[in-house]
Amino acid sequence: MMEKLKTYFQNGLSGTALKMIALVLMVFDHIHYFFSFTGLVPEWFSMLGRLSAPLFLFCMVEGFSHTHNRKKYFLKIYLISVFMNGLLFFMQFGGILRRPDGFFPMNGMMTAFTILIVMFQGIDWLGQKRWAKGMAALFLPIVWPILANLLILILPKLETPTALVAYTVLPIWNSNPDASLPIIITGVLLYLFRKKRKVQVCVFSAFTFLYFFVCVWHFASALPGFAWSQMFTQYYEWYGVIAGLLMLCYNGERGSGHQKFFYVFYPAHIYLLYAISWGVYLLLN
C-alpha cells in the first residue's frame, strides 16, 4: 500500500492519484453524512471532505478536455445521474426507501457533472464561433430551473411531471450543495482557465474563499449567537480552497485510469453506506 502511495506522489500527482485522494476524502465526508446521528463520527471527517468536490471537478475538467469521445464520456455520467436522481425523486416526493427517521441521501455530484459537461461544450462551441449552439448549451442549463418554476406557476397540474423531468432527463442545479450554483460556477471557472494552471488555481481559490468564507460570514454574522469560531467549526465549506494546493501538484498525466471503478464506486458506496446506516439506526432505536 505504501509503495502505491509513493508512486502517486513521484513527479507530481496524476489524474488517477487526484481522483483517489478525492475518493478517500469523499468517503470520510459521507461516513459523517450518513452516521452523524450516532454522535460517534467526528466533525473533521466532513471537514476533510470539503476538498473532495473541487478535486473531482478539476479531474472532470481534465477528463473532458482530453477524452477522445466526448459523447461517450457524457453518456456514462448522464446515465448515472438519471438513475440516482430518479431514485432521489421517489425518495423525496414519494417517501419511498426513506430511513425511519425521514433521512434520505441527497447526493447530486452527477447532476453537477452532467450540467457542466453541456456548458463546457457550449464554451468550446463559442470558441469555434458556433454562436447559436454555444449560447444554448452555455446558458440554457442556467435558466432551466427558472423556466421550470415558471411552468409550474402557470400550470400547477404539471408540477409532478416537470419535477420528474428536472430530476432525471433534464437535470437542474438546485439548493443541494452538491449541485448548487456555486458548484456550477466553480466548474466553469476551472474549465475557462484550464490551460493556465496557476491562474486556474488562483481563480478557483479566490472564488471559493470569497463565496464560502466572505459571503457566508457576512450573512452568518447577522445571526443571533454567531461566534467567529463558527467559521472554522460550522461554516467550513471554504476549506475546499486547500484543494488548490493538490491541483498545483497535477503533472498532466492521466495515470492508470480505473474509469469503470470510479463510475461504479460513486453510486455503490452511497447506497451501501445508506443501507448500513439504516441498519445502525434500527439497532440504536
Side-chain angles (χ1 to χ4, degrees):
M1 181 65 179
M2 292 303 297
E3 289 301 318
K4 287 186 177 180
L5 288 175
K6 287 181 181 178
T7 59
Y8 282 151
F9 285 92
Q10 287 176 349
N11 301 317
L13 296 171
S14 67
T16 299
L18 283 175
K19 283 190 284 187
M20 288 300 296
I21 293 171
L23 183 147
V24 171
L25 296 175
M26 176 182 67
V27 172
F28 271 99
D29 185 31
H30 287 166
I31 289 173
H32 180 268
Y33 177 65
F34 285 105
F35 297 96
S36 60
F37 71 92
T38 66
L40 300 175
V41 184
E43 193 73 27
W44 61 264
F45 272 45
S46 190
M47 292 177 181
L48 287 175
R50 299 311 92 202
L51 281 67
S52 178
L55 288 176
F56 275 127
L57 287 173
F58 177 84
C59 292
M60 189 197 68
V61 166
E62 289 299 306
F64 179 79
S65 300
H66 297 105
T67 184
H68 298 295
N69 191 332
R70 289 186 172 184
K71 290 182 179 179
K72 185 178 179 180
Y73 185 87
F74 170 78
L75 188 60
K76 290 177 181 178
I77 293 175
Y78 176 73
L79 290 176
I80 296 172
S81 173
V82 170
F83 167 72
M84 296 188 71
N85 284 330
L87 191 53
L88 172 60
F89 175 83
F90 290 106
M91 288 180 177
Q92 185 166 352
F93 297 102
I96 299 172
L97 295 178
R98 286 194 183 193
R99 210 166 62 189
D101 61 348
F103 175 88
F104 57 95
M106 289 285 292
N107 307 87
M109 279 305 295
M110 289 300 173
T111 298
F113 290 172
T114 299
I115 294 169
L116 282 169
I117 290 174
V118 175
M119 296 179 73
F120 293 168
Q121 186 61 60
I123 291 171
D124 284 359
W125 279 334
L126 288 175
Q128 299 164 10
K129 298 183 179 180
R130 301 167 72 177
W131 305 114
K133 294 179 70 173
M135 294 290 283
L138 183 59
F139 292 108
L140 279 179
I142 297 297
V143 301
W144 166 224
I146 301 171
L147 296 176
N149 285 322
L150 285 175
L151 180 61
I152 292 171
L153 285 174
I154 296 171
L155 298 171
K157 292 183 178 181
L158 294 180
E159 180 176 4
T160 298
T162 300
L164 180 59
V165 168
Y167 266 72
T168 54
V169 294
L170 292 176
I172 62 174
W173 59 267
N174 48 63
S175 58
N176 183 340
D178 287 344
S180 62
L181 187 58
I183 288 292
I184 301 301
I185 294 173
T186 299
V188 170
L189 291 175
L190 287 171
Y191 191 73
L192 287 173
F193 296 96
R194 67 193 182 280
K195 295 180 180 179
K196 298 181 179 179
R197 182 74 64 237
K198 292 181 179 179
V199 176
Q200 180 193 42
V201 172
C202 285
V203 170
F204 157 76
S205 301
F207 173 76
T208 300
F209 185 78
L210 287 173
Y211 185 88
F212 291 108
F213 188 92
V214 177
C215 291
V216 170
W217 170 80
H218 175 73
F219 289 103
S221 62
L223 298 175
F226 174 80
W228 178 256
S229 60
Q230 288 178 307
M231 294 304 301
F232 300 88
T233 60
Q234 183 176 347
Y235 305 107
Y236 50 76
E237 192 72 29
W238 66 274
Y239 283 3
V241 74
I242 301 171
L245 297 176
L246 292 171
M247 295 176 191
L248 288 174
C249 294
Y250 177 55
N251 60 17
E253 297 179 5
R254 176 186 174 187
S256 54
H258 304 309
Q259 287 188 4
K260 291 183 179 179
F261 169 75
F262 288 108
Y263 286 132
V264 172
F265 184 86
Y266 183 77
H269 94 282
I270 291 290
Y271 299 124
L272 177 60
L273 288 175
Y274 183 46
I276 295 173
S277 76
W278 197 319
V280 172
Y281 179 87
L282 293 177
L283 287 173
L284 295 178
N285 295 276

